Amino acid sequence: MSLFSNAKFRYHLKRILPFGIIWLVLSWFILLIESMAMDYENQRPDTDITVTWDIFLFASLAVFLVGLAMGAVEVLWLGKLFKHKAFWQKILYKMGFYLLFMLVINLVTFPIAASIELSSSIIDAQVWHKFSNYIASPTFLSTMVSLAFSIFVSLLYSGISEHLGYNVLLNFFSGKYHQPQEESRVFMFLDMKSSTSLAEKLGNEIYFRFLSDYYNQLSDAIIKFKGEVYQYVGDEIVVTWKKNDGTQHHNCIRCFYAMKESLQKKSTYFEETYGVVPSFRAGLHFGQVTTGEIGALKKEIFFTGDVLNVTARIQKLCKPMQKEIVISEQLANELSPNDLRLEQLGNMELEGREEPVELFTPNFT
């Protein structure tokens, strides 16, 4: 499997797994509440499944797989289908779809669970007699309500994750940055060329759609080479990597060229839709940052350190130096030579810094 396939698979898997965990934990919680209400006895044996260890393990596995199935549908298809809808519309439409989906799953899994409970074949008349009783009972209704609740919680998670970003949400839940931490990171400041004149030419609404298409076209390359989007600032994107993720296989450099290639492949679409093909310049730097949660009214994972200021200054030198990508000596020293060729640009003074910084432009041989 290729590097891209591995990276993209891991990225999607990390987004899908929480759905399975959410469904599993909620099912255990609902089972506990129902068992306590029934005094830990099956008071409706004609319609309810008596929970044994075999039934519990089967139900847990089934619920986990159902959660994964919902996560896969949400991440890979349905989430993209409704991404331009209002939040309440997304919840409403998706609830309807998933309830129908879960109804089918419920009708399929109940006979299997009943056959396990009765230690008989799934085609046994007893199994289907219990199934028919179940369909006409309040238990069936309460099961569907429980499923609706699980769907709603999953969709809330999906919506919050989409807006905050998966990594940010995971870090909030894990508490990783409740206390500030020192990290070594690579940063890329990527700025679109001629954005001011383009915004004036297209107008606000069309320019907004242009930016949306532009960002979407760059996302696969960022995933492929293990980057994290730190910020979107107008037409500028700030991408960051942990040290090993960014320097291994020259990921941070390869990401730049993969983004450039992705836009070139879509050039006909941009030309026909907007009359222009976007291009960009990038500055990259490596160094220590302090990472932590910040904000009173709105929490964010925040990076502080001189490395961000230096990266921004390097990016601004791309235009006068007539280079599409410029990196610092500090980052160059972390990259193994292999097939990477570094063209020396000399020592340059950066605004706000006393010591000059040696700069390079990288390419692959």
PDB file of all heavy atoms in Angstrom, residues 135-160:
ATOM      1  N   ILE A 135     -41.696  -7.103  17.621  1.00  0.00           N
ATOM      2  CA  ILE A 135     -42.083  -6.015  16.719  1.00  0.00           C
ATOM      3  C   ILE A 135     -43.324  -5.283  17.231  1.00  0.00           C
ATOM      4  O   ILE A 135     -43.448  -4.058  17.081  1.00  0.00           O
ATOM      5  CB  ILE A 135     -42.348  -6.564  15.294  1.00  0.00           C
ATOM      6  CG1 ILE A 135     -41.053  -7.067  14.666  1.00  0.00           C
ATOM      7  CG2 ILE A 135     -42.974  -5.490  14.403  1.00  0.00           C
ATOM      8  CD1 ILE A 135     -40.004  -6.003  14.478  1.00  0.00           C
ATOM      9  N   ALA A 136     -44.242  -6.012  17.884  1.00  0.00           N
ATOM     10  CA  ALA A 136     -45.499  -5.412  18.347  1.00  0.00           C
ATOM     11  C   ALA A 136     -45.423  -4.930  19.791  1.00  0.00           C
ATOM     12  O   ALA A 136     -46.435  -4.507  20.355  1.00  0.00           O
ATOM     13  CB  ALA A 136     -46.635  -6.424  18.197  1.00  0.00           C
ATOM     14  N   SER A 137     -44.229  -4.963  20.392  1.00  0.00           N
ATOM     15  CA  SER A 137     -44.096  -4.652  21.826  1.00  0.00           C
ATOM     16  C   SER A 137     -43.515  -3.267  22.064  1.00  0.00           C
ATOM     17  O   SER A 137     -42.888  -2.676  21.174  1.00  0.00           O
ATOM     18  CB  SER A 137     -43.196  -5.688  22.487  1.00  0.00           C
ATOM     19  OG  SER A 137     -41.848  -5.490  22.067  1.00  0.00           O
ATOM     20  N   PRO A 138     -43.694  -2.742  23.304  1.00  0.00           N
ATOM     21  CA  PRO A 138     -43.056  -1.456  23.671  1.00  0.00           C
ATOM     22  C   PRO A 138     -41.536  -1.552  23.640  1.00  0.00           C
ATOM     23  O   PRO A 138     -40.857  -0.526  23.503  1.00  0.00           O
ATOM     24  CB  PRO A 138     -43.560  -1.205  25.105  1.00  0.00           C
ATOM     25  CG  PRO A 138     -44.781  -2.043  25.247  1.00  0.00           C
ATOM     26  CD  PRO A 138     -44.573  -3.242  24.384  1.00  0.00           C
ATOM     27  N   THR A 139     -40.979  -2.751  23.772  1.00  0.00           N
ATOM     28  CA  THR A 139     -39.523  -2.927  23.740  1.00  0.00           C
ATOM     29  C   THR A 139     -38.940  -2.459  22.413  1.00  0.00           C
ATOM     30  O   THR A 139     -37.878  -1.832  22.363  1.00  0.00           O
ATOM     31  CB  THR A 139     -39.155  -4.398  23.980  1.00  0.00           C
ATOM     32  OG1 THR A 139     -39.703  -4.836  25.219  1.00  0.00           O
ATOM     33  CG2 THR A 139     -37.643  -4.579  24.018  1.00  0.00           C
ATOM     34  N   PHE A 140     -39.656  -2.772  21.331  1.00  0.00           N
ATOM     35  CA  PHE A 140     -39.201  -2.353  20.004  1.00  0.00           C
ATOM     36  C   PHE A 140     -39.155  -0.830  19.913  1.00  0.00           C
ATOM     37  O   PHE A 140     -38.191  -0.247  19.420  1.00  0.00           O
ATOM     38  CB  PHE A 140     -40.134  -2.919  18.934  1.00  0.00           C
ATOM     39  CG  PHE A 140     -39.833  -2.434  17.549  1.00  0.00           C
ATOM     40  CD1 PHE A 140     -38.696  -2.843  16.877  1.00  0.00           C
ATOM     41  CD2 PHE A 140     -40.690  -1.532  16.911  1.00  0.00           C
ATOM     42  CE1 PHE A 140     -38.423  -2.385  15.589  1.00  0.00           C
ATOM     43  CE2 PHE A 140     -40.425  -1.081  15.635  1.00  0.00           C
ATOM     44  CZ  PHE A 140     -39.283  -1.513  14.968  1.00  0.00           C
ATOM     45  N   LEU A 141     -40.195  -0.180  20.446  1.00  0.00           N
ATOM     46  CA  LEU A 141     -40.235   1.285  20.428  1.00  0.00           C
ATOM     47  C   LEU A 141     -39.107   1.870  21.264  1.00  0.00           C
ATOM     48  O   LEU A 141     -38.433   2.818  20.840  1.00  0.00           O
ATOM     49  CB  LEU A 141     -41.586   1.777  20.948  1.00  0.00           C
ATOM     50  CG  LEU A 141     -41.785   3.297  20.993  1.00  0.00           C
ATOM     51  CD1 LEU A 141     -41.650   3.903  19.593  1.00  0.00           C
ATOM     52  CD2 LEU A 141     -43.141   3.638  21.601  1.00  0.00           C
ATOM     53  N   SER A 142     -38.880   1.302  22.460  1.00  0.00           N
ATOM     54  CA  SER A 142     -37.813   1.825  23.324  1.00  0.00           C
ATOM     55  C   SER A 142     -36.436   1.607  22.687  1.00  0.00           C
ATOM     56  O   SER A 142     -35.534   2.440  22.840  1.00  0.00           O
ATOM     57  CB  SER A 142     -37.866   1.159  24.700  1.00  0.00           C
ATOM     58  OG  SER A 142     -37.512  -0.205  24.627  1.00  0.00           O
ATOM     59  N   THR A 143     -36.284   0.499  21.952  1.00  0.00           N
ATOM     60  CA  THR A 143     -35.022   0.240  21.247  1.00  0.00           C
ATOM     61  C   THR A 143     -34.770   1.293  20.178  1.00  0.00           C
ATOM     62  O   THR A 143     -33.654   1.811  20.044  1.00  0.00           O
ATOM     63  CB  THR A 143     -35.030  -1.152  20.599  1.00  0.00           C
ATOM     64  OG1 THR A 143     -35.207  -2.143  21.611  1.00  0.00           O
ATOM     65  CG2 THR A 143     -33.724  -1.425  19.857  1.00  0.00           C
ATOM     66  N   MET A 144     -35.814   1.643  19.435  1.00  0.00           N
ATOM     67  CA  MET A 144     -35.669   2.649  18.383  1.00  0.00           C
ATOM     68  C   MET A 144     -35.368   4.025  18.979  1.00  0.00           C
ATOM     69  O   MET A 144     -34.598   4.807  18.409  1.00  0.00           O
ATOM     70  CB  MET A 144     -36.934   2.706  17.522  1.00  0.00           C
ATOM     71  CG  MET A 144     -37.160   1.464  16.662  1.00  0.00           C
ATOM     72  SD  MET A 144     -35.740   1.017  15.607  1.00  0.00           S
ATOM     73  CE  MET A 144     -35.600   2.472  14.567  1.00  0.00           C
ATOM     74  N   VAL A 145     -35.973   4.314  20.140  1.00  0.00           N
ATOM     75  CA  VAL A 145     -35.675   5.583  20.820  1.00  0.00           C
ATOM     76  C   VAL A 145     -34.213   5.611  21.259  1.00  0.00           C
ATOM     77  O   VAL A 145     -33.519   6.629  21.109  1.00  0.00           O
ATOM     78  CB  VAL A 145     -36.610   5.784  22.033  1.00  0.00           C
ATOM     79  CG1 VAL A 145     -36.144   6.972  22.881  1.00  0.00           C
ATOM     80  CG2 VAL A 145     -38.044   5.995  21.570  1.00  0.00           C
ATOM     81  N   SER A 146     -33.727   4.490  21.780  1.00  0.00           N
ATOM     82  CA  SER A 146     -32.319   4.395  22.188  1.00  0.00           C
ATOM     83  C   SER A 146     -31.399   4.579  20.992  1.00  0.00           C
ATOM     84  O   SER A 146     -30.369   5.270  21.076  1.00  0.00           O
ATOM     85  CB  SER A 146     -32.046   3.032  22.849  1.00  0.00           C
ATOM     86  OG  SER A 146     -32.816   2.868  24.009  1.00  0.00           O
ATOM     87  N   LEU A 147     -31.760   3.968  19.874  1.00  0.00           N
ATOM     88  CA  LEU A 147     -30.963   4.123  18.659  1.00  0.00           C
ATOM     89  C   LEU A 147     -30.968   5.575  18.175  1.00  0.00           C
ATOM     90  O   LEU A 147     -29.932   6.102  17.750  1.00  0.00           O
ATOM     91  CB  LEU A 147     -31.502   3.208  17.556  1.00  0.00           C
ATOM     92  CG  LEU A 147     -31.264   1.706  17.739  1.00  0.00           C
ATOM     93  CD1 LEU A 147     -32.010   0.916  16.672  1.00  0.00           C
ATOM     94  CD2 LEU A 147     -29.772   1.384  17.684  1.00  0.00           C
ATOM     95  N   ALA A 148     -32.122   6.218  18.249  1.00  0.00           N
ATOM     96  CA  ALA A 148     -32.224   7.625  17.841  1.00  0.00           C
ATOM     97  C   ALA A 148     -31.323   8.503  18.709  1.00  0.00           C
ATOM     98  O   ALA A 148     -30.669   9.429  18.211  1.00  0.00           O
ATOM     99  CB  ALA A 148     -33.669   8.098  17.925  1.00  0.00           C
ATOM    100  N   PHE A 149     -31.285   8.197  20.007  1.00  0.00           N
ATOM    101  CA  PHE A 149     -30.428   8.956  20.924  1.00  0.00           C
ATOM    102  C   PHE A 149     -28.954   8.767  20.554  1.00  0.00           C
ATOM    103  O   PHE A 149     -28.180   9.732  20.509  1.00  0.00           O
ATOM    104  CB  PHE A 149     -30.675   8.519  22.361  1.00  0.00           C
ATOM    105  CG  PHE A 149     -29.772   9.183  23.368  1.00  0.00           C
ATOM    106  CD1 PHE A 149     -29.918  10.530  23.659  1.00  0.00           C
ATOM    107  CD2 PHE A 149     -28.781   8.466  24.011  1.00  0.00           C
ATOM    108  CE1 PHE A 149     -29.080  11.157  24.580  1.00  0.00           C
ATOM    109  CE2 PHE A 149     -27.942   9.074  24.926  1.00  0.00           C
ATOM    110  CZ  PHE A 149     -28.095  10.422  25.216  1.00  0.00           C
ATOM    111  N   SER A 150     -28.566   7.518  20.272  1.00  0.00           N
ATOM    112  CA  SER A 150     -27.179   7.240  19.889  1.00  0.00           C
ATOM    113  C   SER A 150     -26.821   7.939  18.584  1.00  0.00           C
ATOM    114  O   SER A 150     -25.709   8.466  18.430  1.00  0.00           O
ATOM    115  CB  SER A 150     -26.965   5.724  19.738  1.00  0.00           C
ATOM    116  OG  SER A 150     -27.191   5.055  20.963  1.00  0.00           O
ATOM    117  N   ILE A 151     -27.756   7.945  17.642  1.00  0.00           N
ATOM    118  CA  ILE A 151     -27.524   8.634  16.368  1.00  0.00           C
ATOM    119  C   ILE A 151     -27.327  10.126  16.606  1.00  0.00           C
ATOM    120  O   ILE A 151     -26.412  10.753  16.050  1.00  0.00           O
ATOM    121  CB  ILE A 151     -28.710   8.402  15.401  1.00  0.00           C
ATOM    122  CG1 ILE A 151     -28.753   6.940  14.968  1.00  0.00           C
ATOM    123  CG2 ILE A 151     -28.600   9.309  14.177  1.00  0.00           C
ATOM    124  CD1 ILE A 151     -30.030   6.564  14.232  1.00  0.00           C
ATOM    125  N   PHE A 152     -28.182  10.721  17.439  1.00  0.00           N
ATOM    126  CA  PHE A 152     -28.107  12.156  17.713  1.00  0.00           C
ATOM    127  C   PHE A 152     -26.769  12.523  18.349  1.00  0.00           C
ATOM    128  O   PHE A 152     -26.130  13.505  17.941  1.00  0.00           O
ATOM    129  CB  PHE A 152     -29.257  12.567  18.627  1.00  0.00           C
ATOM    130  CG  PHE A 152     -29.303  14.035  18.931  1.00  0.00           C
ATOM    131  CD1 PHE A 152     -29.701  14.950  17.960  1.00  0.00           C
ATOM    132  CD2 PHE A 152     -28.934  14.516  20.179  1.00  0.00           C
ATOM    133  CE1 PHE A 152     -29.730  16.304  18.221  1.00  0.00           C
ATOM    134  CE2 PHE A 152     -28.966  15.873  20.457  1.00  0.00           C
ATOM    135  CZ  PHE A 152     -29.366  16.771  19.480  1.00  0.00           C
ATOM    136  N   VAL A 153     -26.323  11.740  19.337  1.00  0.00           N
ATOM    137  CA  VAL A 153     -25.033  12.006  19.992  1.00  0.00           C
ATOM    138  C   VAL A 153     -23.897  11.881  18.981  1.00  0.00           C
ATOM    139  O   VAL A 153     -22.968  12.706  18.961  1.00  0.00           O
ATOM    140  CB  VAL A 153     -24.808  11.045  21.180  1.00  0.00           C
ATOM    141  CG1 VAL A 153     -23.388  11.189  21.733  1.00  0.00           C
ATOM    142  CG2 VAL A 153     -25.823  11.312  22.285  1.00  0.00           C
ATOM    143  N   SER A 154     -23.962  10.873  18.117  1.00  0.00           N
ATOM    144  CA  SER A 154     -22.925  10.679  17.104  1.00  0.00           C
ATOM    145  C   SER A 154     -22.869  11.849  16.130  1.00  0.00           C
ATOM    146  O   SER A 154     -21.784  12.297  15.736  1.00  0.00           O
ATOM    147  CB  SER A 154     -23.178   9.383  16.326  1.00  0.00           C
ATOM    148  OG  SER A 154     -23.141   8.264  17.182  1.00  0.00           O
ATOM    149  N   LEU A 155     -24.044  12.353  15.736  1.00  0.00           N
ATOM    150  CA  LEU A 155     -24.085  13.483  14.810  1.00  0.00           C
ATOM    151  C   LEU A 155     -23.576  14.767  15.465  1.00  0.00           C
ATOM    152  O   LEU A 155     -22.956  15.602  14.803  1.00  0.00           O
ATOM    153  CB  LEU A 155     -25.503  13.674  14.274  1.00  0.00           C
ATOM    154  CG  LEU A 155     -26.004  12.585  13.325  1.00  0.00           C
ATOM    155  CD1 LEU A 155     -27.455  12.845  12.924  1.00  0.00           C
ATOM    156  CD2 LEU A 155     -25.122  12.491  12.084  1.00  0.00           C
ATOM    157  N   LEU A 156     -23.841  14.924  16.758  1.00  0.00           N
ATOM    158  CA  LEU A 156     -23.285  16.078  17.480  1.00  0.00           C
ATOM    159  C   LEU A 156     -21.763  16.001  17.480  1.00  0.00           C
ATOM    160  O   LEU A 156     -21.075  16.995  17.237  1.00  0.00           O
ATOM    161  CB  LEU A 156     -23.810  16.107  18.920  1.00  0.00           C
ATOM    162  CG  LEU A 156     -25.205  16.690  19.143  1.00  0.00           C
ATOM    163  CD1 LEU A 156     -25.549  16.651  20.630  1.00  0.00           C
ATOM    164  CD2 LEU A 156     -25.296  18.125  18.632  1.00  0.00           C
ATOM    165  N   TYR A 157     -21.243  14.800  17.779  1.00  0.00           N
ATOM    166  CA  TYR A 157     -19.784  14.617  17.736  1.00  0.00           C
ATOM    167  C   TYR A 157     -19.242  14.944  16.351  1.00  0.00           C
ATOM    168  O   TYR A 157     -18.228  15.639  16.210  1.00  0.00           O
ATOM    169  CB  TYR A 157     -19.414  13.178  18.106  1.00  0.00           C
ATOM    170  CG  TYR A 157     -18.033  12.797  17.629  1.00  0.00           C
ATOM    171  CD1 TYR A 157     -16.902  13.231  18.311  1.00  0.00           C
ATOM    172  CD2 TYR A 157     -17.857  12.055  16.460  1.00  0.00           C
ATOM    173  CE1 TYR A 157     -15.630  12.916  17.849  1.00  0.00           C
ATOM    174  CE2 TYR A 157     -16.595  11.744  15.995  1.00  0.00           C
ATOM    175  CZ  TYR A 157     -15.489  12.171  16.692  1.00  0.00           C
ATOM    176  OH  TYR A 157     -14.233  11.878  16.225  1.00  0.00           O
ATOM    177  N   SER A 158     -19.935  14.435  15.316  1.00  0.00           N
ATOM    178  CA  SER A 158     -19.480  14.660  13.944  1.00  0.00           C
ATOM    179  C   SER A 158     -19.454  16.148  13.599  1.00  0.00           C
ATOM    180  O   SER A 158     -18.496  16.638  13.002  1.00  0.00           O
ATOM    181  CB  SER A 158     -20.402  13.914  12.966  1.00  0.00           C
ATOM    182  OG  SER A 158     -20.016  14.137  11.638  1.00  0.00           O
ATOM    183  N   GLY A 159     -20.513  16.865  13.992  1.00  0.00           N
ATOM    184  CA  GLY A 159     -20.587  18.292  13.708  1.00  0.00           C
ATOM    185  C   GLY A 159     -19.509  19.086  14.424  1.00  0.00           C
ATOM    186  O   GLY A 159     -18.863  19.969  13.838  1.00  0.00           O
ATOM    187  N   ILE A 160     -19.293  18.779  15.717  1.00  0.00           N
ATOM    188  CA  ILE A 160     -18.268  19.490  16.489  1.00  0.00           C
ATOM    189  C   ILE A 160     -16.884  19.176  15.943  1.00  0.00           C
ATOM    190  O   ILE A 160     -16.036  20.060  15.802  1.00  0.00           O
ATOM    191  CB  ILE A 160     -18.362  19.105  17.981  1.00  0.00           C
ATOM    192  CG1 ILE A 160     -19.690  19.599  18.570  1.00  0.00           C
ATOM    193  CG2 ILE A 160     -17.195  19.703  18.769  1.00  0.00           C
ATOM    194  CD1 ILE A 160     -19.981  19.078  19.958  1.00  0.00           C
TER     195      ILE A 160
END
